[in-house]
Amino acid sequence: MTSLRRIWSGRTDYGDEKSKRFHEIVQLEKNIDPIPNVAIVGFQCDEGVRRNQGRIGAKEGPNAIRKALANIPWHGESACIADLGNISCEDAELEKAQKLLGEKIAEVRTNGSKVIVLGGGHETLYGHYLGIRQTIGRDKKLGIINIDAHFDLRSYEETTSSGTMFKQILDHDNHASYCVIGIQQYGNTLELFERAKEFRVTTILEQQIRENMNQALNEIDSFINQNEVILLTLCMDVINAAEAPGVSAPSPFGLNAVEVRKIIQHVLQSPKVASFDICEVNPTFDLNGQTAKLAAYFVNEVIMFMIKQRG
């Protein structure tokens, strides 16, 4: 197993503070001081993808994203960014791993840090949700914004998977609501569209974003205003397969990276955003690491916003 110290390494320019790169900024778990402004947690799991009959390999995503992030130049102000390591799914025990992820996130949030989770399959989201809900209490209105080509509202009567998380949440949490951005019409069955209506999901199709981005952003604002806390999750399969080939379920008609970046930047302007996860980076199918690098740029974007809002 590759150590985090080896992953967080790269070019060093030997200049002043303005010459730093991420690998020179990020602190590892044993040496963190003070309490982190932003804490990174990896979730090495693609058991949910396997159960959902997707392409496995996303469990290698967290370290691939870290490796790509390590060499990105640091453009933030002074801050403590900490990597708390990986939680791994062992022996196909998905539910146990999700519970452990939730407990880790709750621990981090209790200390006052914002959280970034590096998935893993999109089953990462359920563990992420468990941790946030634990820290904000049962009654706060939690809005989950999912940038994704798929609803992930499948039935879980037989088993949970990377396609069931939002139904799991909405079935049992009356104070949670769901907004999904970038839905592919032909990537979801009619049954899933009907289920989204039943759950009153705020649904923004890929075509809507292309036709009128400003209107889409207004819908997102309306959703944010209805909630007290926002959890933001990005499934990399929302992006066109030409730009993000290394994912579990490629999208031929997906959004482009600039559109996704604009959506992320817009959501992050709200101080209600408590945490972020990025999922479905699959190095097995990546080309020259381009999907992992794109994911790392998105993570960098989120970190820059989070440290600006720390006060």
Side-chain angles (χ1 to χ4, degrees):
M1 181 180 294
T2 306
S3 71
L4 287 182
R5 177 60 64 191
R6 289 184 61 186
I7 292 170
W8 287 112
S9 62
R11 175 174 174 170
T12 302
D13 292 338
Y14 298 108
D16 58 18
E17 291 298 316
K18 295 180 181 179
S19 301
K20 299 289 187 183
R21 297 174 186 270
F22 258 88
H23 71 88
E24 299 172 274
I25 297 295
V26 172
Q27 299 183 37
L28 301 187
E29 186 167 19
K30 294 180 180 178
N31 303 306
I32 296 170
D33 182 43
I35 293 174
N37 303 108
V38 179
I40 297 170
V41 180
F43 189 61
Q44 292 183 313
C45 178
D46 55 17
E47 172 60 19
V49 174
R50 186 193 67 78
R51 296 181 188 182
N52 202 33
Q53 302 178 42
R55 306 192 299 181
I56 61 172
K59 66 181 180 182
E60 305 302 330
N63 287 348
I65 297 170
R66 287 181 173 104
K67 188 173 181 180
L69 185 61
N71 263 317
I72 294 178
W74 175 257
H75 280 257
E77 55 191 90
S78 177
C80 179
I81 312 299
D83 188 340
L84 307 185
N86 292 314
I87 291 171
S88 300
C89 178
E90 305 292 345
D91 302 319
E93 294 184 3
L94 172 59
E95 291 77 11
K96 179 180 178 180
Q98 288 170 325
K99 183 174 181 291
L100 290 173
L101 176 59
E103 290 170 352
K104 188 67 172 179
I105 290 171
E107 176 188 335
V108 173
R109 288 275 299 154
T110 300
N111 291 333
S113 303
K114 292 204 173 185
V115 182
I116 293 177
V117 185
L118 309 180
H122 210 178
E123 63 267 29
T124 301
L125 177 276
Y126 191 71
H128 182 181
Y129 156 78
L130 291 176
I132 295 300
R133 178 50 85 192
Q134 182 177 333
T135 57
I136 67 173
R138 296 176 60 182
D139 296 330
K140 274 200 173 180
K141 292 182 179 179
L142 174 62
I144 304 175
I145 296 179
N146 178 27
I147 307 172
D148 198 341
H150 307 102
F151 283 115
D152 293 336
L153 283 168
R154 295 178 184 274
S155 172
Y156 52 95
E157 292 176 358
E158 294 184 8
T159 185
T160 61
S161 74
S162 62
T164 65
M165 309 84 58
F166 295 100
K167 189 172 190 303
Q168 291 173 256
I169 294 168
L170 296 175
D171 274 344
H172 300 101
D173 190 339
N174 293 329
H175 296 288
S177 55
Y178 178 29
C179 171
V180 60
I181 307 161
I183 281 290
Q184 291 282 322
Q185 183 176 359
Y186 300 118
N188 300 270
T189 63
L190 287 173
E191 179 186 22
L192 290 173
F193 275 95
E194 290 175 359
R195 188 167 293 159
K197 288 181 180 179
E198 291 171 7
F199 280 115
R200 298 182 180 179
V201 175
T202 299
T203 302
I204 302 174
L205 299 173
E206 167 265 331
Q207 301 99 297
Q208 292 176 265
I209 294 169
R210 291 266 159 75
E211 292 168 3
N212 195 331
M213 172 67 85
N214 288 334
Q215 182 179 340
L217 296 179
N218 287 337
E219 287 189 52
I220 295 168
D221 286 341
S222 178
F223 178 83
I224 291 173
N225 290 337
Q226 295 168 26
N227 290 281
E228 297 173 87
V229 178
I230 298 296
L231 183 164
L232 177 61
T233 175
L234 168 63
C235 185
M236 288 292 287
D237 69 18
V238 76
I239 299 169
N240 188 290
E243 293 186 70
V247 296
S248 301
S251 294
F253 289 159
L255 300 175
N256 65 49
V258 173
E259 290 167 331
V260 172
R261 183 189 189 197
K262 186 170 184 178
I263 294 166
I264 290 173
Q265 289 176 331
H266 187 82
V267 173
L268 289 170
Q269 290 177 23
S270 171
K272 295 180 180 180
V273 179
S275 56
F276 169 76
D277 72 51
I278 186 165
C279 301
E280 304 281 2
V281 171
N282 189 330
T284 303
F285 299 96
D286 208 357
L287 298 176
N288 300 316
Q290 72 181 68
T291 310
K293 187 171 185 178
L294 178 57
Y297 270 66
F298 287 140
V299 172
N300 172 59
E301 200 84 37
V302 175
I303 290 174
M304 292 301 110
F305 270 87
M306 283 183 169
I307 62 175
K308 286 178 183 176
Q309 294 178 346
R310 59 184 172 170

